[in-house]
Amino acid sequence: MAARYYEAMVRYGDLDVGTAVTRSAALLREGRGSLLDLVDRAQVRDAAAAWTGRVNTVTARTDRVDVDALLIRPDGCVAWVLPTGQDLAATTLVRALGTWFGQPA
């Protein structure tokens, strides 16, 4: 499993994101997780709403075309990915949020 997270870090690295903060690493400075909604999908933001105390949800833009959303742990590892065009199975996002950030507040 560690190899998968290492691969995710290498694959996504420090993304250029079109927000007030221009690099994904800058989003992690607070020591919180980040959910990057890269195509403005309200479903993604709604599914994570209960974790707003522990996870920053950011609607952003990037040149990446292979993902619609990413959940990034505070250490920079990708905990969950929504591939481009795939339907959101909110349970998988909720499971990842619960695994890495505890039960919702």
Side-chain angles (χ1 to χ4, degrees), residues 55-104:
V55 176
N56 295 326
T57 301
V58 178
T59 301
R61 297 288 177 258
T62 182
D63 292 336
R64 300 292 309 224
V65 295
D66 57 342
V67 296
D68 284 354
L70 294 166
L71 176 63
I72 304 174
R73 300 182 337 203
D75 62 0
C77 292
V78 175
W80 174 86
V81 174
L82 179 61
T84 299
Q86 192 172 87
D87 288 336
L88 172 67
T91 55
T92 63
L93 174 54
V94 167
R95 190 176 315 125
L97 286 160
T99 297
W100 296 108
F101 302 101
Q103 293 305 308

Side-chain angles (χ1 to χ4, degrees), residues 1-102:
M1 184 137 357
R4 187 176 87 192
Y5 292 116
Y6 175 75
E7 178 181 322
M9 282 180 59
V10 170
R11 183 171 178 198
Y12 294 104
D14 187 21
L15 297 173
D16 284 313
V17 291
T19 64
V21 176
T22 59
R23 304 293 300 182
S24 59
L27 297 170
L28 302 175
R29 289 197 179 122
E30 296 178 32
R32 297 163 46 101
S34 292
L35 177 62
L36 300 182
D37 176 6
L38 302 174
V39 294
D40 197 17
R41 289 178 70 170
Q43 295 172 292
V44 170
R45 296 186 307 279
D46 292 347
W51 282 269
T52 57
R54 293 174 232 153
V55 176
N56 295 326
T57 301
V58 178
T59 301
R61 297 288 177 258
T62 182
D63 292 336
R64 300 292 309 224
V65 295
D66 57 342
V67 296
D68 284 354
L70 294 166
L71 176 63
I72 304 174
R73 300 182 337 203
D75 62 0
C77 292
V78 175
W80 174 86
V81 174
L82 179 61
T84 299
Q86 192 172 87
D87 288 336
L88 172 67
T91 55
T92 63
L93 174 54
V94 167
R95 190 176 315 125
L97 286 160
T99 297
W100 296 108
F101 302 101

